[in-house]
Every structure is written in structure tokens, then in C-alpha cells.
Amino acid sequence: DAKTTQPPSMDCAEGRAANLPCNHSTISGNEYVYWYRQIHSQGPQYIIHGLKNNETNEMASLIITEDRKSSTLILPHATLRDTAVYYCIANFGNEKLTFGTGTRLTIIP
Amino acid sequence: DVKVTQSSRYLVKRTGEKVFLECVQDMDHENMFWYRQDPGLGLRLIYFSYDVKMKEKGDIPEGYSVSREKKERFSLILESASTNQTSMYLCASSFVSDFEFSGANVLTFGAGSRLTVL
């Protein structure tokens, strides 16, 4: 897996868009970018993944730069329930996912 | 919904005891995983299994073993528990075919088992 770098913590006002950056400058051409989140006292939860194109689902949007060296997870209208640790992972899609320490996102009322 | 159930939410054991952590999933997933999570270290993979009776070492297998006798059940075994194995243990499972069709590597996690070794 390519190394990913995320800020350790971020704050976002409730109702605003939360933009979580991830740097993966050594990513290979066939490595996907995955995002998971972990709400306190629970196991991590899958959010979204992408390879080259931007992706959107009911939870979030994923924007991947053209050179694929970085990406941004966007939570369009953050709520208090989005307070969690967010993990960005670059992976070939094999069985082993390596989770780093992620970004602790705090949604401020 | 896929469910991954870990048998014990909290356990307290003594040094030297043999400890079994059980995990059961109900959606016929091929892959199953055991991670441990410690403050400041993120999640670290201990072992995984991609089929019954198959196992592969993860990043930190020392001091652990696993058993997968049935597809739905994956057990983590601490042969002789030590205090440095005090941690949160997380089990997960996934479909092999998810990736083949969509590139998705979607792990479904259990709620975790917090083990304290005294």
C-alpha cells in the first residue's frame, strides 16, 4: 500500500461542508483510494472508494486530483454524527488494508 | 445488513491465561480479519483468512494464532496472554468478489472486544 498522509485533526461547523485532505504522492496506477471512518466505540465503517474519477454516494464525495497524488473526502452538510476518525487508504484491492492514524474530525455545533 | 458479531465486548484476563476471541459473520464472506487498535498506532492487522482452514500473517502476528474451521467463524487465540496484549481487538469480513467487480475493498467490522490483561 502507498503511504498516505492526513492531518491529525480538523474542526468543521455543523451544516457546513467538511473537506478532509489526504496525500498519497507515491500511489501506483492501479491502487485505489479508500475512505473509512470510525465513530467512537465502534468498528470502522466503509465510506467510499475511487481509482481515477471523482465519486459520489449517499454518504460523501471523493475528489481525486488528476495526477492522483492527493484526494479530498467531502461531507457536504456535516452533522454532529459525522464526528469521527477518518482514514484514507491507498490499496491495490488485495485483502490487507492498512489503516493509519487518520484525521479526527470534530463537528462544532 | 451484514453483521459481524464479536462474542465479548469486554474481557479481563490474567497474565499467562489462554484467551479466545470469537468472531462470527452472517453474510457468507470469504475473507475475515483480526486487527488490534491502540492509541496513536491506528489499526494493525494481526491475521487474516481468505478461506476455511486458510490463514495468513498480518503485520503483527507474534503472540497470536487463529483458527477458521467454518466459513462464518474466525477465532483469535492468545496462547499465553501478556500485559502488552491489552488492546481493542476488531474483527472484520469482506467479499472477494466485491473487488473483482467494482474495485471495492469493503470491510465490515464488528463492534470490537476490549481486552485487559492484568
Side-chain angles (χ1 to χ4, degrees):
Chain A
D1 297 358
K3 178 178 169 58
T4 60
T5 302
Q6 300 176 252
S9 63
M10 293 180 61
D11 292 339
C12 179
E14 187 178 16
R16 304 296 293 269
N19 297 282
L20 291 92
C22 180
N23 180 283
H24 32 78
S25 58
T26 61
I27 195 169
S28 300
N30 54 352
E31 283 187 290
Y32 288 79
V33 178
Y34 298 88
W35 284 84
Y36 281 72
R37 75 179 183 183
Q38 186 174 22
I39 295 171
H40 183 61
S41 300
Q42 299 181 19
Q45 173 192 25
Y46 166 82
I47 301 173
I48 199 167
H49 76 285
L51 183 61
K52 295 180 182 178
N53 300 321
N54 299 335
E55 302 288 344
T56 295
N57 63 19
E58 65 278 4
M59 291 182 68
S61 295
L62 173 61
I63 307 299
I64 302 174
T65 57
E66 193 169 343
D67 62 9
R68 298 202 341 114
K69 293 185 176 182
S70 66
S71 61
T72 300
L73 179 75
I74 300 172
L75 308 178
H77 303 287
T79 70
L80 298 179
R81 288 175 296 179
D82 293 321
T83 292
V85 177
Y86 288 77
Y87 299 97
C88 168
I89 304 163
N91 179 268
F92 290 103
N94 58 22
E95 295 84 0
K96 292 173 58 173
L97 279 183
T98 300
F99 291 78
T101 53
T103 296
R104 182 173 298 278
L105 175 68
T106 302
I107 305 302
I108 310 297
Chain B
D1 283 353
V2 175
K3 285 187 179 176
V4 178
T5 303
Q6 296 184 227
S7 56
S8 301
R9 193 80 170 96
Y10 299 95
L11 303 93
V12 179
K13 299 292 181 180
R14 298 213 174 268
T15 302
E17 279 193 75
K18 190 170 186 176
V19 181
F20 292 87
L21 299 179
E22 305 287 344
C23 175
V24 177
Q25 50 93 5
D26 65 0
M27 284 299 290
D28 205 33
H29 282 175
E30 294 91 354
N31 298 328
M32 295 190 75
F33 308 82
W34 276 105
Y35 288 84
R36 65 176 282 178
Q37 185 170 29
D38 302 287
L41 296 177
L43 280 79
R44 293 179 291 167
L45 181 63
I46 305 171
Y47 268 97
F48 68 98
S49 168
Y50 52 87
D51 202 351
V52 176
K53 297 191 184 295
M54 305 300 289
K55 61 183 179 182
E56 294 284 341
K57 293 181 179 179
D59 299 317
I60 51 163
E62 296 79 19
Y64 303 93
S65 62
V66 290
S67 172
R68 193 164 181 203
E69 296 296 319
K70 294 184 178 181
K71 190 174 185 180
E72 67 270 18
R73 186 179 297 270
F74 192 36
S75 302
L76 180 69
I77 304 156
L78 289 66
E79 293 289 342
S80 178
S82 64
T83 55
N84 63 12
Q85 293 178 309
T86 292
S87 186
M88 170 67 84
Y89 290 88
L90 290 157
C91 175
S93 67
S94 69
F95 272 126
V96 169
S97 57
D98 276 350
F99 175 73
E100 291 174 355
F101 290 111
S102 68
N105 197 348
V106 180
L107 271 63
T108 300
F109 282 83
S113 297
R114 184 166 295 280
L115 172 67
T116 301
V117 182
L118 302 175

